[in-house]
Amino acid sequence: MIFFGAAFFTPVLLVWRRFPKDWLKTPKLYEVITFFGLVFLFGQGVLFGWLNTQFEALNFENRGYLILPILLIAALRYGRHGAMLVLALTVVQSILGAYDGHGFFNHSMMNDPSPISIWVFLSLVCFLSLMISLLIENNQAKNLDLVKAEGRFKEIVERIPVSMAILDVDKRSMGLVNDAYTNLTGYTASDLERSDDWWSLAYPDPAYRQEIERLWDERVHEARHLHTPMVPVESWIVCKNGEKKYISWGSVSAGDKFAIYGIDLTDRKKNEDLLKSTSSVYQAIGEAVFITNPQNEFILVNDVFKGITGYSKNQIAGLNLQSLLAKVDNASTYSDLLPALDSVGHWEGQVGIKCSDGTNYLGFLSLFSALDDRGNIRQQVGLISQVSDQKKYREIITRQANYDSLTGGYQTAVYF
């Protein structure tokens, strides 16, 4: 009997080496006291035999098998500690009831199976307790790992500097919206409880919304079919504060989740639109016109410029203005060109332009800096004219450099 007792109580002691501290927190403490108090009363009444002596006609001694579903409930609700506590109460009360002779088991514990041998019954209870405890422990460990992984993922999404939102496809809601996403669009997770809310908020124009939705669905379907990254969708959106921004939207799928990310291309789009609106003007001027970026690299030249220099569109790409300036007779010195652009936003003088055939072209260069809303150089516009025409074309290029085609007026942050 000592062997069986050690076998039954060893798993109980191993599990209860660590006390479940969460049981001491209210209101769970009251729940634990109530539940295991009822389990104790059940064991005393049926396994130990209190009810068997008082209500013998009701045959309570056959109710001992009810401890099995009670064990299952304890394991599911309170984990392995609950299962082991029920096992310990069952063993103690069954053995004491058998010795007393009025419990679930009679006095002849080893030989008279009434109704079954106590050791078989307790072994069954112990086996079930161990199996349920192991299953629950394994499940809890997996859930804990899943929770930790999800927590790490959310932390990464929240800290990443790229605007990102997590879409739960099954729930059709934005489960997570990081700070970069809110800074970009103004919308928070509470604004996007349903995924459909995003479309109506960001795209209030029904026709444009339908167009972007159709394009988005096509790109998502294409990515799934070809097992390739989704081709981003570029579109204008309306932010929460009413501001319009041009965003490149992409998505990465993982099971029932979509990670949606956005990149702000508003400045690039405005520059592209500005180039488109001014290129036709520069083509019609009849003099060589070029536009460079803040690094002085050519981003647009008209046909007259290409005709004078002999460079094609592909050849001019990647070159900068300084690489085409040649020191020739009657040309200005170029040492003050960049300082003048930085300080007053304008430089002009006679220059020598290196042509593709090795010759140099002498012309009059007017160069202006156009600034963005923050006061930074957005682009530089230059016009190369014959010396006799320099005044007329200087007026044209000044007007074009300072004109904002998006607003229909002149920029306030420009150099004069």
Side-chain angles (χ1 to χ4, degrees), residues 183-215:
N183 293 335
L184 176 64
T185 66
Y187 298 114
T188 62
S190 60
D191 298 319
L192 308 173
E193 292 182 357
R194 296 183 303 115
S195 59
D196 294 338
D197 293 339
W198 161 254
W199 293 105
S200 59
L201 291 172
Y203 304 97
D205 181 6
Y208 187 59
R209 182 197 314 150
Q210 185 177 7
E211 176 186 348
I212 299 302
E213 280 191 274
R214 178 188 57 77
L215 183 59

Side-chain angles (χ1 to χ4, degrees), residues 99-390:
Y99 273 114
D100 184 68
H102 298 289
F104 185 52
F105 300 95
N106 66 10
H107 200 66
S108 303
M109 293 183 298
M110 297 297 294
N111 302 318
D112 186 3
S114 175
I116 62 173
S117 171
I118 186 173
W119 305 122
V120 174
F121 176 78
L122 294 180
S123 297
L124 175 62
V125 174
C126 183
F127 175 78
L128 291 176
S129 300
L130 288 173
M131 291 299 101
I132 293 174
S133 298
L134 291 175
L135 289 174
I136 290 177
E137 182 178 4
N138 184 56
N139 185 61
Q140 289 177 339
K142 290 182 178 180
N143 289 338
L144 182 60
D145 291 340
L146 183 62
V147 170
K148 288 182 178 179
E150 186 174 355
R152 288 193 294 267
F153 174 72
K154 287 184 176 180
E155 185 177 358
I156 292 173
V157 171
E158 289 172 350
R159 291 186 178 184
I160 197 169
V162 177
S163 62
M164 185 172 292
I166 306 301
L167 171 63
D168 190 315
V169 178
D170 293 337
K171 297 180 180 178
R172 298 186 64 82
S173 64
M174 294 291 189
L176 176 64
V177 173
N178 69 359
D179 291 339
Y181 187 96
T182 300
N183 293 335
L184 176 64
T185 66
Y187 298 114
T188 62
S190 60
D191 298 319
L192 308 173
E193 292 182 357
R194 296 183 303 115
S195 59
D196 294 338
D197 293 339
W198 161 254
W199 293 105
S200 59
L201 291 172
Y203 304 97
D205 181 6
Y208 187 59
R209 182 197 314 150
Q210 185 177 7
E211 176 186 348
I212 299 302
E213 280 191 274
R214 178 188 57 77
L215 183 59
W216 178 270
D217 291 339
E218 289 178 357
R219 298 282 174 86
V220 171
H221 177 75
E222 180 183 21
R224 287 178 174 177
H225 180 70
L226 299 177
H227 302 288
T228 57
M230 175 185 167
V231 178
V233 175
E234 297 182 4
S235 65
W236 286 100
I237 70 163
V238 177
C239 300
K240 191 173 183 177
N241 61 1
E243 181 184 1
K244 290 186 177 181
K245 291 185 178 180
Y246 193 74
I247 311 297
S248 173
W249 295 108
S251 176
V252 178
S253 62
D256 61 343
K257 299 285 194 302
F258 270 91
I260 301 172
Y261 59 90
I263 301 174
D264 190 358
L265 303 180
T266 306
D267 290 340
R268 191 201 73 178
K269 181 64 175 176
K270 288 182 178 179
N271 289 335
E272 289 177 353
D273 292 343
L274 181 61
L275 287 177
K276 290 179 182 178
S277 64
T278 57
S279 62
S280 59
V281 177
Y282 294 149
Q283 293 290 354
I285 285 178
E287 293 294 332
V289 179
F290 63 85
I291 298 177
T292 65
N293 60 21
Q295 290 74 42
N296 292 318
E297 298 170 339
F298 291 100
I299 56 177
L300 183 147
V301 295
N302 68 354
D303 292 340
V304 178
F305 183 93
K306 289 185 284 188
I308 290 176
T309 62
Y311 292 106
S312 66
K313 182 179 180 181
N314 293 334
Q315 288 175 322
I316 204 69
L319 297 179
N320 59 45
L321 177 60
Q322 289 90 324
S323 66
L324 294 189
L325 297 179
K327 184 62 179 177
V328 296
D329 293 339
N330 299 322
S332 304
T333 60
Y334 309 133
S335 59
D336 64 334
L337 190 153
L338 293 180
L341 287 176
D342 290 336
S343 60
V344 298
H346 172 236
W347 185 91
E348 61 181 17
Q350 294 187 61
V351 296
I353 301 297
K354 298 177 184 178
C355 300
S356 62
D357 60 2
T359 61
N360 295 323
Y361 174 82
L362 180 64
F364 189 88
L365 172 63
S366 295
L367 192 60
F368 298 84
S369 293
L371 308 183
D372 59 20
D373 295 336
R374 304 179 183 88
N376 300 318
I377 295 178
R378 181 177 61 192
Q379 60 190 24
Q380 293 161 339
V381 183
L383 181 143
I384 303 172
S385 61
Q386 295 181 5
V387 176
S388 60
D389 294 333
Q390 64 188 49

Side-chain angles (χ1 to χ4, degrees), residues 41-102:
L41 292 177
F42 171 83
Q44 288 295 104
V46 177
L47 300 178
F48 186 72
W50 282 355
L51 297 178
N52 295 338
T53 57
Q54 300 295 325
F55 304 96
E56 186 174 357
L58 296 179
N59 197 20
F60 273 102
E61 65 180 13
N62 290 327
R63 303 293 192 272
Y65 297 108
L66 292 176
I67 197 64
L68 298 179
I70 293 175
L71 172 66
L72 179 61
I73 294 173
L76 293 175
R77 179 60 182 162
Y78 304 103
R80 53 181 181 170
H81 289 86
M84 291 297 102
L85 183 54
V86 172
L87 171 63
L89 291 173
T90 302
V91 171
V92 171
Q93 291 172 325
S94 296
I95 294 176
L96 294 178
Y99 273 114
D100 184 68
H102 298 289

